[in-house]
Amino acid sequence: MQPYQDPTYFVLLALGLLPIMIGMLYEKRFRVYETIISFLFLLLTFGGVKWEQGLALIAYTIFELLLIYGYLAYRKRKNASLVFNLAVILAILPLVIVKVSPLFDQGRESILGFLGISYLTFKVVGMIMEIRDGIIKAVNFKEVVHFLLFFPTISSGPIDRYRRFLGDYQKKIKRDKYFKLLDKAIWYIFLGFLYKFILAYFFGTLLLPKVSALALSHGGWSWWVVAYMYVYAMDLFFDFAGYSLFAVGISYVMGVETPMNFNKPFISKNIKDFWNRWHMTLSFWFRDYIYMRLVFFIMKKKLMKNRVAIANVGYLTLFLIMGFWHGLTWYYIVYGLYHAVAIILCDAWLRFKKKHQEKIPHNKFTEALAIFTTFNVVCFSFLIFSGFLDKLFFV
């Protein structure tokens, strides 16, 4: 059963989480019960007809746990950099195989694949990097398994960090604090219903097929393509944001304050602001573990001197990787390059604006213009991302 897709899933959630809620209200955590209920919901997601995915998840988890403990044991020995690089490569290898396999097997998915493999990989790589940095000095088997297999977020995030998760998982929550968490949880869950089952249904199920058919019937560029662009953008946002709200809300019920994924992205004033608001746990993960480390490496090795050039290389690398992660098709790669160029241009504009701030007006009109421009830049990127242009011009 796909998480957060079926009304039955929510009924089972309510029944399964009730003892956890009662325990929390009495400032107690029922660890054994949490483990049992987590296992049952994982079985619900990866069992039955999806038993192959379940086996892949088990094999993947064992492999990554051995890797985490292996790196923890050998990180301070000779050739520490080589051991670190090998650990990171091995950690992402299953994901790479899953992403590349369709190219060589007539579009079939790899038997190693399962729902949520990307997000588990991000968690593992983050842990390995923080072990190398000395931030994580030891890991508890039960706690790291709970972190990796935390069922509310396993399929599509949000992406949590080990130390932040552990801080919530280990502490007992006072009743007053838990009431506040429940209040937020209920709000997020009901908002998720509005987003996913009403607005996403309207844009994605009712409107999108009709607009798509009209755009294809006209052939080439037309105003129907523009309409498709906006409708698809709305469907993408409300569907994914709705799912994320469910995941955060259920996490809150379990006493874990999983980070939010979206923060009003369509009122962003520039493309950098957009990536600080859109799929935030993913964009912050890429920023912290790829962009910042690449920039630091270039500066440390003195491969380049110009800071602007270093930042631009970082942006291009970052968004190319993000594009490839979404899929090995031209429109995902172009989507990544598009955002890299947009951020490079945005940086150049911000530097120019700072240098000539006295001559450039700043008022409500210019802010509205900035929001409008950013919104359209982003929506066009989603048109590329959708693959609709491939159908329109190349099929």
Side-chain angles (χ1 to χ4, degrees):
M1 185 180 291
Q2 189 88 357
Y4 313 123
Q5 297 288 340
D6 192 310
T8 305
Y9 188 85
F10 289 94
V11 173
L12 294 174
L13 267 178
L15 294 173
L17 294 178
L18 185 60
I20 293 176
M21 294 171 62
I22 293 172
M24 290 286 191
L25 289 172
Y26 285 93
E27 300 182 8
K28 294 180 180 180
R29 281 188 180 271
F30 301 143
R31 299 293 190 191
V32 175
Y33 180 79
E34 285 185 19
T35 302
I36 293 170
I37 204 67
S38 295
F39 171 78
L40 290 176
F41 274 96
L42 289 174
L43 189 62
L44 195 65
T45 303
F46 297 102
V49 295
K50 294 184 178 179
W51 65 269
E52 291 180 340
Q53 286 196 30
L55 289 179
L57 173 63
I58 293 169
Y60 173 90
T61 304
I62 293 171
F63 173 75
E64 297 291 0
L65 285 170
L66 290 172
L67 197 58
I68 290 169
Y69 276 97
Y71 180 65
L72 195 62
Y74 287 93
R75 73 192 188 282
K76 291 184 179 179
R77 299 194 179 186
K78 291 181 179 180
N79 301 320
S81 295
L82 178 62
V83 174
F84 168 73
N85 292 333
L86 181 62
V88 171
I89 291 170
L90 289 175
I92 66 172
L93 184 60
L95 177 60
V96 172
I97 293 172
V98 168
K99 293 291 184 179
V100 172
S101 290
L103 292 178
F104 302 98
D105 195 16
Q106 300 178 344
R108 295 177 183 175
E109 294 184 359
S110 169
I111 59 171
L112 298 178
F114 58 88
L115 184 68
I117 186 173
S118 293
Y119 298 95
L120 264 67
T121 301
F122 293 145
K123 288 181 176 183
V124 172
V125 172
M127 285 188 67
I128 291 172
M129 289 188 173
E130 291 190 350
I131 289 170
R132 185 203 188 196
D133 295 342
I135 298 173
I136 298 175
K137 302 184 184 301
V139 293
N140 176 279
F141 177 79
K142 184 177 69 173
E143 291 171 345
V144 75
V145 169
H146 270 283
F147 169 66
L148 293 178
L149 302 182
F150 187 56
F151 83 86
T153 63
I154 193 169
S155 59
S156 298
I159 307 164
D160 211 342
R161 308 287 176 96
Y162 179 68
R163 291 182 304 131
R164 201 222 63 78
F165 175 87
L166 210 60
D168 288 347
Y169 180 76
Q170 289 177 335
K171 70 182 179 184
K172 291 183 179 180
I173 302 174
K174 297 292 184 182
R175 183 180 298 180
D176 291 344
K177 172 70 180 295
Y178 188 64
F179 272 122
K180 292 178 181 178
L181 284 182
L182 272 184
D183 184 54
K184 290 181 180 179
I186 293 169
W187 166 250
Y188 291 150
I189 291 169
F190 274 92
L191 190 60
F193 274 106
L194 172 65
Y195 278 18
K196 189 166 181 64
F197 294 115
I198 297 178
L199 295 174
Y201 176 80
F202 171 73
F203 285 108
T205 304
L206 299 181
L207 206 54
L208 194 62
K210 296 177 182 178
V211 175
S212 174
L214 286 166
L216 290 171
S217 67
H218 281 72
W221 287 104
S222 68
W223 285 110
W224 287 112
V225 177
V226 178
Y228 179 92
M229 177 181 79
Y230 291 126
V231 172
Y232 178 80
M234 294 301 102
D235 175 46
L236 182 66
F237 168 69
F238 286 118
D239 186 71
F240 195 14
Y243 160 84
S244 296
L245 286 166
F246 288 141
V248 171
I250 300 305
S251 300
Y252 276 30
V253 172
M254 298 181 70
V256 175
E257 296 184 62
T258 295
M260 293 293 292
N261 242 353
F262 296 91
N263 180 24
K264 302 176 183 177
F266 292 139
I267 64 168
S268 304
K269 296 176 182 177
N270 57 58
I271 199 68
K272 293 186 78 172
D273 185 28
F274 170 79
W275 279 107
N276 285 326
R277 294 170 176 271
W278 175 272
H279 205 171
M280 295 184 292
T281 59
L282 177 70
S283 62
F284 294 164
W285 190 96
F286 272 87
R287 178 198 66 191
D288 294 345
Y289 296 122
I290 296 179
Y291 176 81
M292 295 301 295
R293 290 169 188 268
L294 175 61
V295 167
F296 178 75
F297 176 80
I298 293 173
M299 294 176 68
K300 183 180 179 182
K301 298 295 182 179
K302 298 181 180 179
L303 301 178
M304 301 174 71
K305 293 183 179 180
N306 188 292
R307 290 181 176 271
V308 173
I310 293 172
N312 292 345
V313 168
Y315 291 138
L316 284 167
T317 305
L318 172 69
F319 282 99
L320 265 177
I321 292 173
M322 189 180 289
F324 278 110
W325 167 65
H326 279 105
L328 300 179
T329 55
W330 72 265
Y331 43 86
Y332 289 138
I333 297 165
V334 171
Y335 168 81
L337 284 172
Y338 176 93
H339 272 282
V341 171
I343 286 192
I344 289 170
L345 293 175
C346 177
D347 258 3
W349 164 248
L350 292 175
R351 289 194 300 272
F352 177 85
K353 186 178 177 182
K354 184 177 180 181
K355 189 176 181 180
H356 302 88
Q357 57 184 342
E358 294 179 358
K359 299 179 182 179
I360 299 175
H362 180 80
N363 49 50
K364 291 183 178 181
F365 173 77
T366 57
E367 283 192 6
L369 181 62
I371 292 170
F372 176 78
T373 303
T374 303
F375 174 72
N376 282 278
V377 167
V378 166
C379 285
F380 186 74
S381 78
F382 290 154
L383 177 62
I384 297 171
F385 179 85
S386 71
F388 187 71
L389 296 180
D390 193 46
K391 298 178 183 178
L392 195 64
F393 294 110
F394 302 112
V395 175

